[in-house]
Amino acid sequence: MCGIAGYVGPRNAKTVVLEGLKRLEYRGYDSAGIAFLDQHDLLHIARVKGRLHNLTDRFRNDLDSAPAAIGHTRWATHGVPCEKNAHPHRSADGEIAVVHNGIVENYQELRSQLQGNGYVFASDTDTEVIAHLIHYNWKSRKTSDLVDAVRATLRKLKGSSAIVVLSTLRPDTLIAARLGNAGGVVIGYGENEMYVASDIPAILKHTCRVAFLENGELAVVTPSGAAYSDSSGTPIIKHPVKIEWDAAAAEKGSFAHYMLKEIFEQEQSLTDTLRGRIDISRNQVRLDMLNMTDSVARRLSGVTIVACGSSYYAGLLGKQLIERLTGLHVEVDFGSEFRYRHPVLDENRLVLAITQSGETTDTLAALEEARERKAFTASIVSVVGSQAARVSDGVIYMQVGPEIGVATTKAFTASLVDLYLLAVFLGTARGTLDTNRRAELIRNIATLPRLVGKTLESMQHSGVIEAVASKYTDRANFLYLGRGLHYPIALEGALKLKEISYIHAEGYPAGEMKHGPIALIDERMPTVVIAPKDSLHEKMVSQIEQVKARNGAVIALATQDDTETAHKVDDVVWLLNAPEMLTPILAAIPLQLLAYEIAVRRGTDIDHPRNLAKSVTVE
Ligand code: AGP
């Protein structure tokens, strides 16, 4: 959603903030803007519609330094993308500038009240009410304390919001606040300089010492540090934590796109995911931060997985793994559906959120619901210190570093590995896995990173994905079929293609094809079939026959040397022979590459797909 960057300190704040915004481009946006104080403490604002370079171009030859600035990339919710609706928004007297992520649900009511008090609005956004309301509170309370005015304003806002304020009334200061779950607010610590951002990558180049704002908290940030308080104004002591991310991991390097870099990183990223988690000699899976004792694991009556998008699909595979290894019943729900369906929960249920960003509003709301119902909550998360990690009883980090591509790749496969580890962990604690089976599962997962590396190498050398992509780039629709463990991978493959190539694609459980989607099959409709040599292989072959009988083109993901299947289909992508529970992870890789290569040929903006944002922080 919206990206926020802010800086106070001795360097040129405009440059630091624009650079920070550049690193947030992956969030997706439709306009951008910056507010800064000049050397005379006068406030200036520049805003543009469209890409960030439209804004940075304006400052190309600008050498005047600025001691403080805030910047924003906007993903429109209220008001169309245009210059007047771009952030920062300012108060009528021009002294207060605000950037905002989230939605002010009662903005109409506040807008009318402010209009009644003579305020004139210059935009169609909900954000503008925040700027005017701060001004109103500051004036009407006759307080010289801008922080009080911001706090009074926050008390009036309904919904979830993250804001940063810059004002001539308090130069050299940024006021940042978080209300609800509308995305994170990260405070970065430098040497006599401080940063504020919605996401860590915006400031990672400068510092890895950060603190996070919780719901209701406010930070007064000056070059020498930050003072924190809660919604009532009571001071809070917060110590910065060290983020173990490598700044180079947030760079594209020699790759054409972040997405491609992240696909090819997966041998390493999965090695990192497994680091410290498996001990072959002791036949152990360690998930220390899950904070779950064996007796809690034994008491569990079931598991509910909540997630959105690709993380939801990961959850569908997780369900099968956990059910196979633990005998526990697992249900999977979309974060956006969960809390509205009156779920049945008790304290013996594990509610597991899967969220790469740890900031997805719908998933966080589901977690909140589970906490209220006293369930044991855990999260599989990538971003260290994100909201999901902080509010859960336990956490399993993906340990893959920052993922910049909007279309998730390495975080998706990491979440599958975390789910596999969780299944083994629960099976061990509950006594449903005997020693030999556990040893086999642990040995198998240890081989996964190398299998992923080999898969990537073979895709690269054979050129098969490029060839398939070139053949089908012009198609308007795709069908993806999988069964059992591969059904969630079919869903994910279709989502990848949709997201970055804008081709309509549907993932389907293969057995369901004859109940409807078969009507779509003709010579223009390619079907991607995940058909490795496993227990369901024969059923998949029969689906292939059914598509071929209707003149549909079939692209099969088949186990190496399965020439029989290869002869039946139009194109074949070989999968390595691997243990059954690892094959879905290996199958995800060629589907990521296929979506990427098709998108390249269609000339789409792969790292910034239209309308999409890396983390969805609105409902
Ligand atoms: C995946 O490619 C998507 N960008 C999207 O579906 C994503 O998985 C979803 O928004 C959930 O995000 P999260 O894992 O950060 O919660």
Side-chain angles (χ1 to χ4, degrees), residues 315-334:
L316 292 179
L317 181 60
K319 169 186 165 74
Q320 298 187 49
L321 300 180
I322 296 170
E323 287 186 343
R324 274 188 193 202
L325 302 189
T326 69
L328 280 167
H329 174 251
V330 183
E331 57 173 33
V332 190
D333 210 343
F334 291 107

Side-chain angles (χ1 to χ4, degrees), residues 286-507:
R286 297 190 54 157
L287 296 174
D288 296 345
M289 295 179 77
L290 182 60
N291 294 329
M292 187 185 273
T293 59
D294 284 1
S295 70
V296 171
R298 278 196 291 272
R299 268 206 321 269
L300 290 178
S301 58
V303 181
T304 300
I305 297 177
V306 286
C308 301
S310 296
S311 295
Y312 173 81
Y313 299 150
L316 292 179
L317 181 60
K319 169 186 165 74
Q320 298 187 49
L321 300 180
I322 296 170
E323 287 186 343
R324 274 188 193 202
L325 302 189
T326 69
L328 280 167
H329 174 251
V330 183
E331 57 173 33
V332 190
D333 210 343
F334 291 107
S336 52
E337 292 292 328
F338 179 75
R339 70 177 153 154
Y340 296 114
R341 72 166 167 90
H342 309 289
V344 179
L345 291 178
D346 59 44
E347 67 259 26
N348 291 328
R349 192 139 196 115
L350 165 62
V351 175
L352 174 71
I354 306 173
T355 166
Q356 173 279 136
S357 60
E359 301 289 350
T360 300
T361 294
D362 289 325
T363 305
L364 290 176
L367 263 181
E368 212 169 284
E369 176 83 22
R371 273 157 56 83
E372 274 166 25
R373 311 278 209 90
K374 309 269 183 288
F376 186 96
T377 56
S379 297
I380 292 179
V381 174
S382 178
V383 179
V384 177
S386 56
Q387 183 75 357
R390 295 201 305 274
V391 301
S392 303
D393 297 315
V395 61
I396 307 175
Y397 280 118
M398 295 180 188
Q399 302 184 163
V400 291
E403 182 178 76
I404 306 295
V406 168
T408 183
T409 52
K410 65 173 181 173
F412 176 71
T413 50
S415 59
L416 299 182
V417 168
D418 280 345
L419 285 159
Y420 181 106
L421 296 177
L422 178 64
V424 177
F425 176 89
L426 291 174
T428 307
R430 294 173 59 82
T432 49
L433 272 184
D434 66 35
T435 314
N436 291 341
R437 177 79 172 120
R438 181 163 81 238
E440 182 195 352
L441 289 163
I442 293 175
R443 272 198 316 273
N444 286 351
I445 195 74
T447 65
L448 179 72
R450 191 59 212 125
L451 291 173
V452 167
K454 278 187 178 168
T455 302
L456 285 163
E457 275 159 33
S458 99
M459 298 294 138
Q460 204 173 15
H461 294 138
S462 66
V464 60
I465 300 291
E466 283 94 329
V468 173
S470 298
K471 193 165 161 190
Y472 299 103
T473 294
D474 64 339
R475 302 303 165 93
N477 301 288
F478 270 72
L479 189 60
Y480 285 67
L481 299 180
R483 200 154 182 176
L485 297 173
H486 297 104
Y487 161 50
I489 304 301
L491 293 170
E492 171 62 5
L495 181 67
K496 286 281 88 72
L497 187 69
K498 263 187 271 211
E499 284 187 295
I500 57 170
S501 72
Y502 315 145
I503 294 176
H504 169 246
E506 273 195 69

Side-chain angles (χ1 to χ4, degrees), residues 603-619:
T604 58
D605 193 346
I606 293 176
D607 281 333
H608 313 119
R610 70 181 179 210
N611 306 337
L612 289 179
K614 184 69 182 158
S615 52
V616 180
T617 53
V618 292
E619 240 201 287

